[in-house]
Amino acid sequence: ETGVTQSPTHLIKTRGQQVTLRCSSQSGHNTVSWYQQALGQGPQFIFQYYREEENGRGNFPPRFSGLQFPNYSSELNVNALELDDSALYLCASSLAGRDTEAFFGQGTRLTVV
Amino acid sequence: KQEVTQIPAALSVPEGENLVLNCSFTDSAIYNLQWFRQDPGKGLTSLLLIQSSQREQTSGRLNASLDKSSGRSTLYIAASQPGDSATYLCAVRAYSGAGSYQLTFGKGTKLSVIP
């Protein structure tokens, strides 16, 4: 059984650029969620994907978008990068349902300069 | 809006001590609570999951309790070791609409265990 894997581990982008982060969910998990963790803060919910559709979103603007593929892997896309987008981006996978356990990847550290 | 608070923000203890980390949440309509460990610059490792119907869970030297009605959870670490040094995060899972459920996190407690 493989865990949640994210790529790349580190990334540096210039303000205004676009970025794509990738996540492979744990084997058998059909739900993927993305979180943003600024330095010294707890992770904040960005959105969740189930059956290739977004079915929940936190307080993030539309320039944060995502995809989920038939194999349950996922992408997070951020357009028009801002300096405040610098953070650790975490992907979590789980089974669908209200009381399931979330498993997280190692994260992608994004720095916007 | 759910808010999760963790006290203390930082804690330093000598090796071998028992310690308690606290977590409180404002809305008791949760399905479960998870405690995570985070090493610097790394992802989250799930330590314990407590369902809303449970009172406590144990794993090795770790014991987590949940009092859903009062909005509180504690993580007890017995016989602390330098390898326990990390940031500990608690998160509650609740319904967020459209069939989705999200975790709301506290800011964490940074634990340092001094040899």
Side-chain angles (χ1 to χ4, degrees):
Chain A
E1 178 179 295
T2 58
V4 181
T5 58
Q6 294 185 240
S7 62
T9 54
H10 296 86
L11 204 51
I12 300 176
K13 289 286 189 178
T14 303
R15 188 173 50 184
Q17 285 188 316
Q18 179 265 344
V19 68
T20 297
L21 311 181
R22 294 179 174 83
C23 171
S24 293
S25 60
Q26 186 162 312
S27 178
H29 286 182
N30 54 15
T31 302
V32 175
S33 302
W34 286 90
Y35 291 79
Q36 179 196 65
Q37 186 179 24
L39 205 58
Q41 302 296 312
Q44 298 289 316
F45 175 69
I46 302 175
F47 46 54
Q48 175 178 292
Y49 276 80
Y50 172 65
R51 290 187 173 177
E52 302 176 50
E53 290 198 4
E54 180 184 304
N55 69 339
R57 174 177 278 262
N59 190 26
F60 282 81
R63 59 189 186 85
F64 285 79
S65 63
L67 285 172
Q68 187 182 31
F69 301 99
N71 66 354
Y72 306 133
S73 65
S74 176
E75 288 182 354
L76 165 64
N77 299 290
V78 186
N79 293 321
L81 284 167
E82 302 176 359
L83 297 179
D84 285 349
D85 295 333
S86 295
L88 182 67
Y89 288 85
L90 296 161
C91 168
S93 77
S94 64
L95 295 170
R98 63 185 188 183
D99 57 2
T100 62
E101 185 173 6
F103 295 88
F104 283 77
Q106 80 280 16
T108 293
R109 170 69 63 187
L110 172 65
T111 302
V112 182
V113 297
Chain B
K1 177 188 171 186
Q2 178 77 266
E3 292 183 0
V4 179
T5 303
Q6 291 188 244
I7 294 174
L11 181 64
S12 183
V13 300
E15 182 178 0
E17 270 205 5
N18 303 324
L19 59 101
V20 175
L21 307 181
N22 296 291
C23 172
S24 62
F25 47 96
T26 55
D27 187 344
S28 62
I30 65 168
Y31 291 104
N32 62 38
L33 182 147
Q34 275 185 267
W35 281 93
F36 294 92
R37 170 186 172 134
Q38 185 173 36
D39 293 296
K42 303 296 185 182
L44 307 182
T45 300
S46 182
L47 298 174
L48 287 165
L49 168 72
I50 310 179
Q51 298 295 352
S52 60
S53 59
Q54 297 175 321
R55 297 285 292 184
E56 66 179 87
Q57 281 287 341
T58 298
S59 176
R61 295 183 293 109
L62 305 180
N63 176 279
S65 68
L66 173 63
D67 185 341
K68 182 182 166 185
S69 60
S70 68
R72 295 181 182 178
S73 176
T74 61
L75 178 66
Y76 175 83
I77 302 177
S80 59
Q81 303 171 358
D84 295 331
S85 298
T87 296
Y88 291 80
L89 294 154
C90 80
V92 295
R93 183 179 177 89
Y95 186 65
S96 57
S100 75
Y101 302 86
Q102 71 177 73
L103 291 173
T104 302
F105 284 83
K107 292 184 178 181
T109 294
K110 185 175 182 180
L111 173 65
S112 298
V113 181
I114 312 302

